[in-house]
Structures are given as structure tokens and as C-alpha cells.
Amino acid sequence: MTSSAAPQHMVTRFAPSPTGRLHVGHGWSALLAHDMARASMGTFCLRIEDIDGTRSRPEHVEGIVEDLNWLGIGWDGDIIFQSQRLDRYNAALDRLREEDLLYPCFCTRADIQASMIAPHGPEGPVYPGACRTLDDAQRVRRMEAGEPHAWRIDVAAATARVGTLHWNALPFPLDAKAEPQPVLAAPTVHGDVVLARKDAPASYHLSCTLDDAAMAVSHVLRGDDLRGATDIHRLLQALLGLPSPVYIHHPLLVGADGRRLAKRDGSLALAELRESGVDPAALADALRAGRFPVGIRPASA
Ligand code: GLU
């Protein structure tokens, strides 16, 4: 064995949910992740996060492929579809259940909203924990009666098991000379998040964490809106013995009104720009240089 570690092969990914057409912000994010890998002879992967059967649409998968091709973004290997990886998510759920870290939650959205004591975390209302205190007999009775339920992680028990955690972050804008810095993970502020939904086989948190590890993703580059999710992903990595990538969070793009771009803003869709005759190479170069279409800017600038 030698004492010097071989440099890590860089693997980045773009992981859209096929719930609409990609907008300029998605294009920017995909370009950043793509270029980061290419600059270090690394691998860039495309993962379609399509386990939300109620919102994911095959035509949007086609749209994503079309939009990325148009922008000149090529990926390595086959496209990964989360809908084809449900066994892996179920195996991880079984493991966490066996370790007594999950509990069934029968609360409806209305129940949770009606709870006057529900505090708010960075990502909305924090689950007040009503179902955490049910005893085993109550849980079994309600599940056997076919009551719809999600599975939540007991975040206090989970964090007690793994102790204080950090994730490694690189700053944005990217700086080739910067070294990753540890950031304290704060999973408890999000409460007992759902890991398996009533209407979907797994939650984003679980599938994303498992897939980033399975795909050997070394650097996760994604929007600032998912900074809080990283707290939870770090906790899941520790519980499931998975490696932790380096995280880079980039600002979201906002429009002239200060509101962040969303898939509903059709006029900012890449497909719309294509139809209006925009040159994709010029657009990609502009985005790379941090120049955005008129009226659009990164949130923090
Ligand atoms: N699928 C998520 C989205 O479209 C992104 C997941 C991620 O990059 O971790 O917002």
C-alpha cells in the first residue's frame, strides 16, 4: 500500500424531475455540473428523478433529453431512471425499519396543517410528531386496517445514533484552488421527514442519497433550495454507511420580479428559447460566463 491517495475520479450529475420543461436555470445548473466533470476528465451523469408517479411524465423526459442535447450537454453512460431502482430504496427502508429508526405516520396533510404547535423549519412546517408516540399495538392495528401511511424517520433517535455530522462544501462561484470546508449538518431542524410517501415508493431524500452513492457521485452541484436537504442526506449517509460527496450549492435564478424561475414560466423554458431562434452555443457560452437573458439574475447578486 502506498501512503499517497490516488486523486479521486470526479463524478457529477444532473438530476431533474420530469415534471415540466427545463428552464434557463436548469440549463445553467446542468452546464456547471457538466463542465466541472469535463474540466477534470471526470464523468457526468444524467439521472431522471421520476418516482413521483403523480407528477412525472414521459414526455417531460423526452423534453429534458431534447433540451440538454440542444444546449450541447452530453452525458456519460445510460440515463439512470429512479423508477427502475425501487428495490434499492425498499432495501434501505427495510434496513432503517429494522433498526427502529422509522415509524408509520397516518397523519394527513390537513392534520399537520391544523396542528397549531407545528413550528416552521427552513423547508416549511416541521412535523409535530403525533405518530411518533403511537405504541406498537396501535401501529399494527392501523396498518392492518389498511390505513394509508407514510414512513418517517425518527430524526432525534437517528442523530443520537450517529452523533455530530458535517458535510464537505466547496464555494460558489467555483474556484479550482478552493479546498472543501466542513459544514455542520443540522438534520434535526427539519423534524421527522418522510422517507417513504403514501403515494410514492420512496422520498426524494432517500432515493437521491442512495443513487448519488451508487453512481459514485463525488461532487453534487445543485441549487440553493436544496441546501437544507443536504442536512438530511448527510444523516442518511451516516446511517446507511454511504460515502458523502462534496456539495456545491449555486444560487437560484430569479426573474425581474425577484421570484425564482419555475417550470411554469414557459417563456423562460429552453424549448421556448429554441423556438424563438436563440443560438444554443451562444446561450451556453453566456450562461457559462454568468450572463443571463434579460431580466434574469442569480438570487444573491
Ligand atoms: N430532482 C431535483 C429537482 O429537480 C433535484 C435533485 C438534486 O439535484 O439533488 O429539483
Side-chain angles (χ1 to χ4, degrees):
M1 251 175 91
T2 61
S3 54
S4 59
Q8 190 188 22
H9 178 78
M10 183 179 284
V11 181
T12 67
R13 61 19 168 220
F14 179 55
S17 308
T19 55
R21 291 307 292 247
L22 298 184
H23 57 57
V24 173
H26 296 116
W28 184 48
S29 191
L31 275 169
L32 291 168
H34 166 271
D35 290 2
M36 194 179 175
R38 294 285 174 258
S40 55
M41 314 291 271
T43 300
F44 172 69
C45 306
L46 175 60
R47 181 172 78 224
I48 301 290
E49 302 209 325
D50 59 347
I51 49 173
D52 185 340
T54 54
R55 296 176 62 226
S56 296
R57 298 262 183 280
E59 63 268 29
H60 294 318
V61 177
E62 285 165 29
I64 288 166
V65 168
E66 205 170 74
D67 293 342
L68 294 178
N69 282 333
W70 178 69
L71 259 190
I73 300 175
W75 53 91
D76 298 305
D78 293 334
I79 303 177
I80 306 288
F81 288 90
Q82 289 198 322
S83 56
Q84 293 170 9
R85 300 168 66 81
L86 305 184
D87 300 359
R88 295 163 190 252
Y89 313 147
N90 282 326
L93 287 167
D94 283 345
R95 178 167 161 189
L96 294 171
R97 255 184 231 114
E98 274 158 27
E99 292 184 21
D100 263 343
L101 292 172
L102 302 188
Y103 61 87
C105 172
F106 306 92
C107 293
T108 62
R109 203 167 291 215
D111 289 337
I112 297 169
Q113 269 165 7
S115 166
M116 296 306 289
I117 56 159
H120 274 67
E123 292 186 31
V126 169
Y127 178 63
C131 288
R132 194 191 315 118
T133 53
L134 296 177
D135 62 32
D136 282 349
Q138 289 169 308
R139 286 177 182 160
V140 169
R141 184 177 50 69
R142 292 177 72 168
M143 283 195 286
E144 284 180 355
E147 240 187 273
H149 56 279
W151 287 89
R152 289 183 182 273
I153 185 163
D154 182 338
V155 77
T159 46
R161 195 130 345 148
V162 294
T164 304
L165 296 170
H166 294 83
W167 39 276
N168 282 320
L170 278 173
F172 190 87
L174 291 166
D175 169 359
K177 288 193 284 299
E179 288 294 323
Q181 297 297 325
V183 173
L184 183 68
T188 49
V189 301
H190 308 286
D192 293 350
V193 294
V194 168
L195 291 195
R197 289 169 36 182
K198 288 178 197 172
D199 56 349
S203 73
Y204 156 67
H205 294 309
L206 186 70
S207 56
C208 175
T209 304
L210 289 169
D211 288 344
D212 282 340
M215 293 160 68
V217 171
S218 64
H219 292 73
V220 170
L221 191 147
R222 60 185 174 197
D224 256 340
D225 54 331
L226 292 171
R227 197 179 283 272
T230 307
D231 291 327
I232 299 157
H233 298 184
R234 183 68 194 93
L235 174 63
L236 292 174
Q237 288 155 3
L239 293 170
L240 295 167
L242 303 173
S244 187
V246 173
Y247 290 91
I248 303 119
H249 294 103
H250 63 75
L252 295 181
L253 297 187
V254 295
D257 56 3
R259 285 174 59 215
R260 71 191 217 201
L261 303 190
K263 286 179 177 140
R264 63 178 178 274
D265 296 328
S267 62
L268 302 165
L270 295 174
E272 188 82 11
L273 295 176
R274 179 171 66 232
E275 275 151 33
S276 63
V278 167
D279 173 33
L283 175 65
D285 283 349
L287 294 175
R288 286 188 166 105
R291 292 194 313 273
F292 302 96
V294 175
I296 295 175
R297 60 186 161 84
S300 54

